[in-house]
Amino acid sequence: MKRHNLIRYYLVLAVVTTLLCVLGSPVLAKLPPSPAPPVSSSPQQQGKVLYDAGRYAEAVQVLQQSVQQYRTQGDTLRLAATLSNLSLAYQQLGAWSEAKQAIAQSLNILGYQQHQTSQQISTAQVLAQSLDIQGRLQLATGQTQEALTTWQQAQKIYSKAGDANGVVRSHINQAQALRTQGFYRRAEKTLQDVYKILQSQPDSLEKTVGLRSLGDILQLVGNLKDSQSALQQSLEIAQRLESPADIGASLFSLGNNARTQQQKQQAIDFYQQTVKVSPSPLTKVQAQLNHLDLLIEDQQSAQAQTLIPLIQSQLNTLPASRSAVYARINFAHSLGKLRGQENSPTNLSPSPASPTPSAQLLATAVQQARNLGDKQAEAYALGSLGGLYEKTGQWSEAQNLTQQALLLAQASNAPEIAYRWQWQLGRLRKAQGDVKEAIAAYDAAVDTLQSLRSDLVAVKQDVQFSFRDSVEPVYRESVELLLQVQQGQKNEKTLEKARQRMEALQLAELDNFFREACLQGEKVLLDKVVDQDNPTAAILYPIILPDELQVIVKIPKQPLRHYSTKISQAEVEKIVGGMRQNLVQPSAIKAFRTQSQQVYNWLIKPIESELQTSGVKTLVFVLDGALRNIPPSALYNGKEYLVEKYAIALSIGLQLQDPKPLVPRQLNALTAGLTQPPPGYSEFAPLPAIKRELNLITQAGVSTTSLLDQQFTKQALESKVNAVSFNILHLATHGQFSSRADKTFILAANGPINVVDFDSILRSRDENRPEAVQLLVLSACQTAAGDNRAALGLAGAAVKAGARSTLASLWQIDDESTAQFVGTFYKQLKNGNITKAEALRLAQLQLLKHPNYNTPSFWSAYVLIGNWL
């Protein structure tokens, strides 16, 4: 009987350990306690309460007392468990050395205890939980592979002990480590394994938390559909179990999912339900803050004003914690957006005499973070306060606060906070005329962003984050500063740095689009290609800055040069937007040519004589921003279009994968076409000429394997991709490119194939067949109407497919002219012994000479991305 009570005692201990461990793990939320004798009076439980409240410094003090107590009592198992929780609390404070020391002591004790047979089961449980905490520490300090190995060890122990919840936790943690390493397919598979495990479990609070955690991480990696399904199941279980806290938490996560899908009203509904149901003041205020941010985003200021007093009253009820500090900061940011530039924030002490609302919130946040001993929260609050001083031109005070915040963020290993204050420091130094130090600060911010790369999408949910507001400007402002220094002097190193930074921005945009780091594999610099392999090609890098349009040019065997036009970003976007709108209307040819000539004058005219004298025949554009939505082939010089003089290609960045030309004698194509859209997609018109299009490919002498209409399903395409030998994949079907991955797709007979699923199909081929897809053709596709960044979807599809070259249409054109265009393109490719870019040019010129298809709306729709050789 005594032995039974002893085991029960240790299992209670294990539950307490789990409560701390789970809350601090990378993804899982707090699990509820199982029925057990109360242990509320124990220091261990007091430490847990403080930890749950975000009072980490106080938790450390209490847990240190527990360590001394258990060491004196000789209670080694409780000592080991408490040391692991102490490590977790140290991690939250950024005290990495102390955290490593505590977890090492815990594991040393457990290594000894494993040999004590009477306590083997309970020791295994505590050991696995300590490994969970060690893995979290390793991941936080950049030891990703070590974290993965540690969590795999923990999983084995949980499995042996029959702890299904522990197995789930370890799987989710492993997915985090895999994703950080860039192994996204493995991470997805791991998460699907978690889903299967959870599905087989009976309803329980552990299951609702597990499904919610799974839904949250699936959202982070961009799998929004499966995320929504897991979160909905989590909600239903919580409702059946009548747990208001878990109902509220699941509703809140569903709101975040809907918001990510840009279903704003649905997100607001979920947030409002959260406020009604949740017993947690913190969850309520977080939902209200997200609701407020959506209203501000949609400029619904009247409705936003009604929320402000409600949020203020909720904030006043929150006990001091990291989450409460972050809530105050986010509220201050929202008020700043809503009310515009505030009056000078004078007297910003923790108890200011007459502060602005934002200043008071931030001053309170700073003081609370200091009282908590939370360096990360203090870094975020101080930097935000510095930002408030920046807005009112109080440079010295702003810089002092920003530098304090930066030091704290760096000491706490919080790069997702540190880069913001490096960027802010750059802005402040620039404003004060210290250009050299400003450049250094921007360089540091970009370096920090580069180190984050795939982790940017996983920035803490309680830190307001928007790629367009929080990341893109860092790169653009940095480049603007570099090129400003360049004015009046020639420094090729500075130009090289500027264009490399723009490429880094393009890659960051694609990472954000796909929720992962995209470009992998061996690549060759474009400069090497044009200097050695294809010395008749030039590269142009237009860069849209707030007050000017800069162009950097690489002509074969010449140093970089650049030129600029004084014009605002808003004016560039207005003219390019008008050009794009008129481009697809044959009747608007006069207005189009006027706008097109303006863009020609910006991009080409300053360099046109050098291009001619250098013997350039191909122009490769690395386009920026709104310029991606127009085809350079349609630029007009007043007499002729650019395509009449040059072959034209687009590139995502400064490097090419495997830059080799297609061998005409070895053209093998897998083709798939859909003449009728599937049921439920009546907005897409029939495409009867697709049969002729596919026949013309065969008639051009290309060896083809074809899937037509009902044969063209997602499953059939995947099967053929893996079974057939081909170097060209030609898809003639409706499709859409959007600035969101979940809205970028091609249509098959059984419904849409999302761009992420399409990537998965081609990646499975990569695993089975070594030969790459040399050319991907996406015929009859279009960019989403009204989406100024829709070309991201086109670039994303090209990059993720792993194809060396992608030929795609920016808008859908008459399918008869498409068939004629495609037939000519393949005929030239097969028989002409020319580059893909030249084959495209000749096919476009044939349409341009056709009396029915001579306006740019027909012949300029297609663009070639990637390897133009």
PDB file of all heavy atoms in Angstrom, residues 784-802:
ATOM      1  N   ALA A 784      -4.721  37.335 -60.196  1.00  0.00           N
ATOM      2  CA  ALA A 784      -6.000  37.665 -59.579  1.00  0.00           C
ATOM      3  C   ALA A 784      -6.342  39.140 -59.790  1.00  0.00           C
ATOM      4  O   ALA A 784      -5.508  40.018 -59.576  1.00  0.00           O
ATOM      5  CB  ALA A 784      -5.956  37.343 -58.090  1.00  0.00           C
ATOM      6  N   ALA A 785      -7.574  39.408 -60.191  1.00  0.00           N
ATOM      7  CA  ALA A 785      -8.013  40.773 -60.440  1.00  0.00           C
ATOM      8  C   ALA A 785      -7.960  41.595 -59.152  1.00  0.00           C
ATOM      9  O   ALA A 785      -8.373  41.131 -58.095  1.00  0.00           O
ATOM     10  CB  ALA A 785      -9.437  40.765 -60.993  1.00  0.00           C
ATOM     11  N   GLY A 786      -7.436  42.813 -59.265  1.00  0.00           N
ATOM     12  CA  GLY A 786      -7.405  43.714 -58.122  1.00  0.00           C
ATOM     13  C   GLY A 786      -6.340  43.400 -57.091  1.00  0.00           C
ATOM     14  O   GLY A 786      -6.286  44.041 -56.049  1.00  0.00           O
ATOM     15  N   ASP A 787      -5.486  42.424 -57.378  1.00  0.00           N
ATOM     16  CA  ASP A 787      -4.439  42.048 -56.423  1.00  0.00           C
ATOM     17  C   ASP A 787      -3.112  42.604 -56.922  1.00  0.00           C
ATOM     18  O   ASP A 787      -2.513  42.076 -57.856  1.00  0.00           O
ATOM     19  CB  ASP A 787      -4.380  40.521 -56.301  1.00  0.00           C
ATOM     20  CG  ASP A 787      -3.440  40.045 -55.209  1.00  0.00           C
ATOM     21  OD1 ASP A 787      -2.585  40.842 -54.780  1.00  0.00           O
ATOM     22  OD2 ASP A 787      -3.557  38.881 -54.795  1.00  0.00           O
ATOM     23  N   ASN A 788      -2.652  43.684 -56.304  1.00  0.00           N
ATOM     24  CA  ASN A 788      -1.444  44.364 -56.784  1.00  0.00           C
ATOM     25  C   ASN A 788      -0.181  43.538 -56.605  1.00  0.00           C
ATOM     26  O   ASN A 788       0.854  43.846 -57.180  1.00  0.00           O
ATOM     27  CB  ASN A 788      -1.285  45.713 -56.072  1.00  0.00           C
ATOM     28  CG  ASN A 788      -2.338  46.708 -56.504  1.00  0.00           C
ATOM     29  OD1 ASN A 788      -2.818  46.643 -57.633  1.00  0.00           O
ATOM     30  ND2 ASN A 788      -2.722  47.599 -55.617  1.00  0.00           N
ATOM     31  N   ARG A 789      -0.256  42.498 -55.775  1.00  0.00           N
ATOM     32  CA  ARG A 789       0.918  41.672 -55.533  1.00  0.00           C
ATOM     33  C   ARG A 789       0.697  40.250 -56.049  1.00  0.00           C
ATOM     34  O   ARG A 789       1.367  39.312 -55.625  1.00  0.00           O
ATOM     35  CB  ARG A 789       1.237  41.655 -54.035  1.00  0.00           C
ATOM     36  CG  ARG A 789       1.641  43.025 -53.509  1.00  0.00           C
ATOM     37  CD  ARG A 789       1.541  43.121 -51.997  1.00  0.00           C
ATOM     38  NE  ARG A 789       2.545  42.320 -51.317  1.00  0.00           N
ATOM     39  CZ  ARG A 789       3.756  42.752 -51.003  1.00  0.00           C
ATOM     40  NH1 ARG A 789       4.120  43.976 -51.328  1.00  0.00           N
ATOM     41  NH2 ARG A 789       4.601  41.988 -50.367  1.00  0.00           N
ATOM     42  N   ALA A 790      -0.236  40.096 -56.981  1.00  0.00           N
ATOM     43  CA  ALA A 790      -0.573  38.761 -57.474  1.00  0.00           C
ATOM     44  C   ALA A 790       0.591  38.079 -58.180  1.00  0.00           C
ATOM     45  O   ALA A 790       0.673  36.851 -58.211  1.00  0.00           O
ATOM     46  CB  ALA A 790      -1.766  38.844 -58.426  1.00  0.00           C
ATOM     47  N   ALA A 791       1.507  38.889 -58.731  1.00  0.00           N
ATOM     48  CA  ALA A 791       2.649  38.292 -59.421  1.00  0.00           C
ATOM     49  C   ALA A 791       3.513  37.475 -58.469  1.00  0.00           C
ATOM     50  O   ALA A 791       4.304  36.638 -58.906  1.00  0.00           O
ATOM     51  CB  ALA A 791       3.490  39.383 -60.083  1.00  0.00           C
ATOM     52  N   LEU A 792       3.374  37.708 -57.167  1.00  0.00           N
ATOM     53  CA  LEU A 792       4.061  36.867 -56.182  1.00  0.00           C
ATOM     54  C   LEU A 792       3.673  35.409 -56.359  1.00  0.00           C
ATOM     55  O   LEU A 792       4.492  34.510 -56.224  1.00  0.00           O
ATOM     56  CB  LEU A 792       3.690  37.304 -54.762  1.00  0.00           C
ATOM     57  CG  LEU A 792       4.642  38.204 -53.994  1.00  0.00           C
ATOM     58  CD1 LEU A 792       4.091  38.459 -52.603  1.00  0.00           C
ATOM     59  CD2 LEU A 792       6.030  37.597 -53.920  1.00  0.00           C
ATOM     60  N   GLY A 793       2.382  35.186 -56.644  1.00  0.00           N
ATOM     61  CA  GLY A 793       1.916  33.816 -56.842  1.00  0.00           C
ATOM     62  C   GLY A 793       2.542  33.178 -58.061  1.00  0.00           C
ATOM     63  O   GLY A 793       2.885  31.997 -58.055  1.00  0.00           O
ATOM     64  N   LEU A 794       2.718  33.980 -59.117  1.00  0.00           N
ATOM     65  CA  LEU A 794       3.372  33.477 -60.326  1.00  0.00           C
ATOM     66  C   LEU A 794       4.832  33.152 -60.038  1.00  0.00           C
ATOM     67  O   LEU A 794       5.332  32.079 -60.380  1.00  0.00           O
ATOM     68  CB  LEU A 794       3.262  34.514 -61.437  1.00  0.00           C
ATOM     69  CG  LEU A 794       3.992  34.223 -62.749  1.00  0.00           C
ATOM     70  CD1 LEU A 794       3.596  32.867 -63.306  1.00  0.00           C
ATOM     71  CD2 LEU A 794       3.708  35.313 -63.765  1.00  0.00           C
ATOM     72  N   ALA A 795       5.520  34.082 -59.381  1.00  0.00           N
ATOM     73  CA  ALA A 795       6.919  33.840 -59.031  1.00  0.00           C
ATOM     74  C   ALA A 795       7.035  32.648 -58.094  1.00  0.00           C
ATOM     75  O   ALA A 795       7.932  31.807 -58.223  1.00  0.00           O
ATOM     76  CB  ALA A 795       7.510  35.083 -58.368  1.00  0.00           C
ATOM     77  N   GLY A 796       6.104  32.578 -57.141  1.00  0.00           N
ATOM     78  CA  GLY A 796       6.116  31.477 -56.189  1.00  0.00           C
ATOM     79  C   GLY A 796       5.916  30.137 -56.857  1.00  0.00           C
ATOM     80  O   GLY A 796       6.617  29.160 -56.557  1.00  0.00           O
ATOM     81  N   ALA A 797       4.959  30.073 -57.787  1.00  0.00           N
ATOM     82  CA  ALA A 797       4.718  28.815 -58.503  1.00  0.00           C
ATOM     83  C   ALA A 797       5.963  28.406 -59.276  1.00  0.00           C
ATOM     84  O   ALA A 797       6.331  27.227 -59.310  1.00  0.00           O
ATOM     85  CB  ALA A 797       3.532  28.983 -59.452  1.00  0.00           C
ATOM     86  N   ALA A 798       6.631  29.381 -59.881  1.00  0.00           N
ATOM     87  CA  ALA A 798       7.828  29.089 -60.664  1.00  0.00           C
ATOM     88  C   ALA A 798       8.945  28.553 -59.781  1.00  0.00           C
ATOM     89  O   ALA A 798       9.601  27.550 -60.090  1.00  0.00           O
ATOM     90  CB  ALA A 798       8.289  30.354 -61.388  1.00  0.00           C
ATOM     91  N   VAL A 799       9.159  29.228 -58.655  1.00  0.00           N
ATOM     92  CA  VAL A 799      10.251  28.835 -57.759  1.00  0.00           C
ATOM     93  C   VAL A 799       9.983  27.482 -57.114  1.00  0.00           C
ATOM     94  O   VAL A 799      10.823  26.584 -57.101  1.00  0.00           O
ATOM     95  CB  VAL A 799      10.453  29.910 -56.666  1.00  0.00           C
ATOM     96  CG1 VAL A 799      11.340  29.385 -55.554  1.00  0.00           C
ATOM     97  CG2 VAL A 799      11.077  31.154 -57.278  1.00  0.00           C
ATOM     98  N   LYS A 800       8.777  27.337 -56.555  1.00  0.00           N
ATOM     99  CA  LYS A 800       8.481  26.128 -55.799  1.00  0.00           C
ATOM    100  C   LYS A 800       8.421  24.895 -56.683  1.00  0.00           C
ATOM    101  O   LYS A 800       8.714  23.789 -56.221  1.00  0.00           O
ATOM    102  CB  LYS A 800       7.150  26.287 -55.064  1.00  0.00           C
ATOM    103  CG  LYS A 800       7.245  27.223 -53.888  1.00  0.00           C
ATOM    104  CD  LYS A 800       7.969  26.582 -52.720  1.00  0.00           C
ATOM    105  CE  LYS A 800       7.101  25.571 -52.024  1.00  0.00           C
ATOM    106  NZ  LYS A 800       7.776  24.891 -50.934  1.00  0.00           N
ATOM    107  N   ALA A 801       8.031  25.080 -57.946  1.00  0.00           N
ATOM    108  CA  ALA A 801       7.950  23.920 -58.838  1.00  0.00           C
ATOM    109  C   ALA A 801       9.322  23.316 -59.080  1.00  0.00           C
ATOM    110  O   ALA A 801       9.434  22.164 -59.492  1.00  0.00           O
ATOM    111  CB  ALA A 801       7.315  24.335 -60.167  1.00  0.00           C
ATOM    112  N   GLY A 802      10.372  24.086 -58.835  1.00  0.00           N
ATOM    113  CA  GLY A 802      11.718  23.567 -59.063  1.00  0.00           C
ATOM    114  C   GLY A 802      12.070  23.500 -60.531  1.00  0.00           C
ATOM    115  O   GLY A 802      13.112  22.959 -60.913  1.00  0.00           O
TER     116      GLY A 802
END
